[in-house]
Amino acid sequence: MTDETDVDPAELQRQLRDIKEAMGLAEQYPGRARLWLLAGLLVGTAALLSQATFFYYERLSDTAYVAVWAGFVAVAVAATWWMASRLPSAEAPASAPSWRAVYGSLAAFLAASTGVAGEVARQVGGLDRALLYFGLVIAAIGLGLLVTGAVLAAYRVRRRDRLVFYAGGVWVLVYATWLPYVQLLRYVGVGLFGVLFGLYAVAAYVYLTRA
């Protein structure tokens, strides 16, 4: 005679959910940590390139300026496509929002905020105007990191891994706040941000892939 144990479907679902929520980003979505590393390095490189082209703007011809940024965008898009195309497929939870919608909304917010500031920006000097736009972009990156940490909860990524995005969002927003007021940052702050963000991306990758 065999004893039969009743299985509660709701309890089983809860246990499965708890197991998934204990998994990290690298475990539950293989390869996504590498994609994040690439994105972080691209952001850092873009910031350094922005600083360099700002310094040499008067020496660069319009053609050279466009060529520099067109080349960077082409390399960034190709590298991102190549890495994303090789990621193993992973099914997102039905309740999880679309990343395109999340980041598309942030991009729309950034475009709207720069448009609102447009008339004011035209009334200040070149350096202050540049700091306004650079500050808005850096603040949007910080907001994006905070939103990413919150959205990853819907993807059932464990809290330990989400903390790296929350911490990143906080320091980036603080940095954006300081940008117009610290004398050193007024002149080299964007380039320094690029270096710091690249280091943050590498540290976050190590943290996310650590067993």
Side-chain angles (χ1 to χ4, degrees):
M1 184 175 179
T2 303
D3 294 333
E4 294 184 358
T5 303
D6 293 333
V7 177
D8 183 358
E11 177 64 18
L12 182 59
Q13 287 293 330
R14 187 192 65 78
Q15 292 177 0
L16 290 174
R17 185 172 63 252
D18 290 343
I19 292 172
K20 286 186 175 182
E21 288 176 351
M23 295 175 66
L25 179 66
E27 299 166 322
Q28 193 163 183
Y29 301 100
R32 271 59 178 185
R34 289 196 305 273
L35 188 61
W36 151 248
L37 174 62
L38 174 63
L41 293 177
L42 289 175
V43 168
T45 303
L48 286 168
L49 196 56
S50 297
Q51 185 75 76
T53 53
F54 180 75
F55 276 148
Y56 295 102
Y57 181 76
E58 294 182 353
R59 301 180 189 179
L60 288 174
S61 64
D62 292 343
T63 302
Y65 186 83
V66 171
V68 167
W69 279 107
F72 171 76
V73 170
V75 171
V77 170
T80 303
W81 175 84
W82 182 84
M83 183 171 287
S85 66
R86 283 158 176 75
L87 291 177
S89 59
E91 186 176 351
S95 59
S98 165
W99 288 111
R100 290 187 181 91
V102 170
Y103 291 124
S105 299
L106 285 172
F109 169 78
L110 179 60
S113 60
T114 54
V116 169
E119 186 60 34
V120 175
R122 283 190 286 271
Q123 299 177 22
V124 297
L127 178 59
D128 289 323
R129 183 165 58 249
L131 287 173
L132 171 62
Y133 289 124
F134 286 142
L136 285 173
V137 172
I138 292 173
I141 292 172
L143 179 59
L145 288 170
L146 292 177
V147 171
T148 297
V151 171
L152 285 176
Y155 282 79
R156 302 193 182 101
V157 173
R158 64 188 173 194
R159 183 173 177 271
R160 185 181 82 89
D161 285 20
R162 301 198 308 270
L163 287 177
V164 74
F165 295 98
Y166 292 136
V170 169
W171 84 257
V172 170
L173 286 174
V174 170
Y175 191 94
T177 303
W178 287 350
L179 189 64
Y181 301 106
V182 179
Q183 195 66 16
L184 177 65
L185 297 183
R186 286 176 60 84
Y187 292 97
V188 297
V190 178
L192 180 59
F193 171 76
V195 174
L196 293 176
F197 198 86
L199 292 174
Y200 160 71
V202 172
Y205 173 76
V206 173
Y207 180 86
L208 291 171
T209 54
R210 187 180 63 184

